[in-house]
């Protein structure tokens, strides 16, 4: 978007990913309009903020990739609770249930 001109190519609409022109750490998805204001659900906080269209620029979705998930700890044993497991009766549990 250049200046204040709007064409079909640079119109910001609902569902578009936008970022603030002066602080690119502020970005999110347009979820609505209120007169000349755009409602933007900010990422990652999910707070809804209002901006004028000239404060925002449209960005490609692939410019912001989701943060990678933390690696699963290696000491976790996956258990299928839908299957029966034979319990060892010879364990030394000291009267524990």
């Amino acid at each position: 978007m250049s200046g204040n001109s709007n064409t079909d190519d640079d119109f910001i609409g609902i569902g578009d990913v936008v970022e603030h022109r002066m602080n690119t750490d502020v970005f999110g998805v347009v979820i609505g309009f209120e007169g000349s204001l755009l409602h933007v659900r900010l990422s990652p906080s999910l707070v809804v903020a209002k901006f004028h269209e000239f404060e925002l620029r449209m960005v490609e979705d692939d410019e912001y990739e989701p943060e990678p998930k933390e690696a699963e700890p290696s000491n976790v044993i996956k258990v299928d609770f839908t299957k029966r497991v034979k319990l060892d009766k010879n364990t030394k549990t000291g009267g524990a249930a």
Side-chain angles (χ1 to χ4, degrees):
M1 208 161 27
S2 60
N4 291 331
S5 65
N6 280 343
T7 65
D8 289 340
D9 296 334
D10 60 12
F11 173 74
I12 296 176
I14 292 177
D16 287 338
V17 177
V18 294
E19 70 180 3
H20 196 275
R21 288 180 181 266
M22 296 178 69
N23 183 356
T24 57
D25 290 333
V26 177
F27 66 95
V29 177
V30 177
I31 61 169
F33 297 97
E34 180 182 337
S36 65
L37 298 173
L38 282 77
H39 292 251
V40 180
R41 185 169 311 277
L42 301 178
S43 179
S45 68
L46 301 180
V47 171
V48 176
K50 298 176 187 179
F51 297 99
H52 289 280
E53 186 174 1
F54 60 83
E55 296 179 279
L56 304 172
R57 81 171 183 95
M58 203 168 8
V59 295
E60 297 297 321
D61 288 341
D62 56 355
E63 284 186 42
Y64 293 102
E65 296 186 15
E67 294 182 19
K69 293 182 179 178
E70 293 182 20
E72 201 171 294
S74 61
N75 64 345
V76 175
I77 300 172
K78 294 190 178 194
V79 178
D80 185 357
F81 291 101
T82 62
K83 295 182 180 177
R84 293 181 152 229
V85 177
K86 185 176 180 179
L87 298 177
D88 184 11
K89 294 182 181 181
N90 296 325
T91 59
K92 297 178 183 178
T93 58

